[in-house]
Amino acid sequence: MTIFENPPHGRLRAGGTDLMSLPGTGPYVDLRDLPGPSGVTWQPDGSAHIGALTTIAEIARDERLRAAYPALTLTAGALATPQIRAVATIGGNLLQRNRCSYFRNPAFSCHQNGGDSCPARDGLGLYSAVIDTSPCVAPHPSSLAMALLVYAAEVEVHGRSPFPVGSLYGSDPTRDHLLDPGEILLAVHLPPPVAGERAAYHRATSRSEAEWPLVEAVARVTPDGAAAVSVGGVARVPLRLPEVEQALAAGEPMEVAAGRAASRCAPTASNGYKVTLLTATVLEVLEQATAPS
C-alpha cells in the first residue's frame, strides 16, 4: 500500500527547515524518500514539470531553467541562505506556514491556532499585510509562488487535475494554503517558455542577508513588451498586479504604473511604510527587467 492509498496522519515534511520554530509537535511524516516528485522533466513542447521535492538550490542553478524561466530562478537564488536552499524544496516553499510572531507564540490565540481574532491587527503589525484580503493579516511567505504567478504556472496534487498555483491560496484566515490534510503536492507545471524574455527579482529587507522580505517583487517582460508583475510580503496571498500590467500596456510611464500598486493598500497604523516600499520595489524590478543589456 502506497502513501497515496493510505494518506498519512501527521505533519507532512520534506526539507524540514521550519521544524524548530513552528508551534506544536509531531508526529511528522517524512516525504524525502517519496518516489517520483523530484527533479525537472522537460516536455515535448518545451515546457517544464518540476517535482515538488526538487530543492530550491537545484532550481536556482539549473541552466536550462535559468534560460527558460529567469523570473523563477532569480527568485530561487535569492531566498534564505545557501544552507536552507540546499534542503528546502519547492513544494515546501509553496505550502509553508506564515511567519507571524503572534501565531508562532503559544501565549497568543489567533485565527491560525484555533482562536477567533487577529492580534496583529491592533498589536505589533510592523510586518503585517498592507493589502487586506483576509481577517488574518500575516503575509504569505512563499517567494516561489509569487514568481510562478508571472508564468501562470499550475500545480499538480495527487488525485486532482492540475490547477493554477494561485488557487492554492485564499482568504480563509485559519489556513496558509487550501490543501486538505493528507493531500500531497506532486509537481509544478510551467508553460512553454518564451524565447528572449527578461526578468528581475528584488526583495527589500531589514538586513542584507538571511532575512524575510518586508516587500518583494518579480517582473517578467517578453519580447513583445508585455509585462507580468507579482509581489509578496504585502498580502495574505502572493499577488499578481494586473493594475500595473495594464497601466504599462496602456503606455503609462513606468513610475506611474508602479505607483498603481498602492491602489489596493489599506495600511495599519504601524505598516504604512510598506506602501512606499511596495511601489519602489515594483519600480525597481521593472527598471531592471527593461534596462538595456
Side-chain angles (χ1 to χ4, degrees):
M1 182 174 292
T2 70
I3 193 172
F4 303 117
E5 296 167 322
N6 183 28
H9 298 285
R11 296 187 178 195
L12 304 181
R13 289 292 177 267
T17 60
D18 201 22
L19 286 181
M20 297 302 292
S21 60
L22 268 176
T25 58
Y28 298 106
V29 179
D30 190 348
L31 299 177
R32 289 176 297 177
D33 295 326
L34 194 65
S38 182
V40 181
T41 304
W42 293 94
Q43 307 302 307
D45 63 357
S47 62
H49 293 181
I50 304 176
L53 293 180
T54 308
T55 67
I56 294 173
E58 290 176 288
I59 293 167
R61 66 173 177 253
D62 188 298
E63 292 185 2
R64 188 171 176 183
L65 279 179
R66 193 180 305 156
Y69 308 105
L72 175 62
T73 57
L74 285 169
T75 304
L79 296 186
T81 65
Q83 295 89 341
I84 294 294
R85 293 194 294 270
V87 294
T89 64
I90 185 171
N93 187 272
L94 295 179
L95 304 180
Q96 65 185 296
R97 300 307 307 270
N98 72 78
R99 312 302 303 182
C100 179
S101 57
Y102 289 102
F103 161 59
R104 290 174 178 261
N105 188 330
F108 290 93
S109 172
C110 74
H111 292 295
Q112 292 273 322
N113 59 21
D116 60 0
S117 65
C118 178
R121 281 190 174 274
D122 298 316
L124 299 176
L126 189 65
Y127 307 116
S128 298
V130 74
I131 297 176
D132 202 349
T133 62
S134 167
C136 171
V137 294
H140 199 281
S142 179
S143 298
L144 295 187
M146 176 196 67
L148 291 169
L149 285 176
V150 300
Y151 291 107
E154 296 186 326
V155 291
E156 178 185 350
V157 173
H158 178 72
R160 295 206 218 174
S161 299
F163 58 89
V165 65
S167 296
L168 278 174
Y169 314 107
S171 60
D172 186 342
T174 69
R175 309 169 70 182
D176 287 319
H177 61 78
L178 301 181
L179 295 191
D180 291 330
E183 284 196 302
I184 298 177
L185 178 65
L186 298 179
V188 171
H189 296 185
L190 286 151
V194 177
E197 75 168 62
R198 301 183 64 187
Y201 169 79
H202 185 75
R203 56 172 43 199
T205 58
S206 57
R207 63 183 182 189
S208 61
E209 302 289 344
E211 184 61 285
W212 295 92
L214 302 169
V215 175
E216 59 183 340
V218 64
R220 174 195 181 208
V221 180
T222 51
D224 62 2
V229 183
S230 294
V231 292
V234 294
R236 190 73 191 92
V237 297
L239 285 178
R240 185 97 173 247
L241 295 182
E243 59 269 43
V244 173
E245 299 168 5
Q246 292 163 10
L248 290 168
E252 291 189 5
M254 199 173 293
E255 295 84 352
V256 176
R260 293 191 178 276
S263 63
R264 283 189 273 175
C265 291
T268 67
S270 58
N271 70 355
Y273 74 94
K274 277 197 172 188
V275 180
T276 302
L277 203 56
L278 170 61
T279 57
T281 304
V282 170
L283 179 59
E284 176 71 22
V285 294
L286 289 172
E287 289 179 339
Q288 287 186 28
T290 57
S293 301

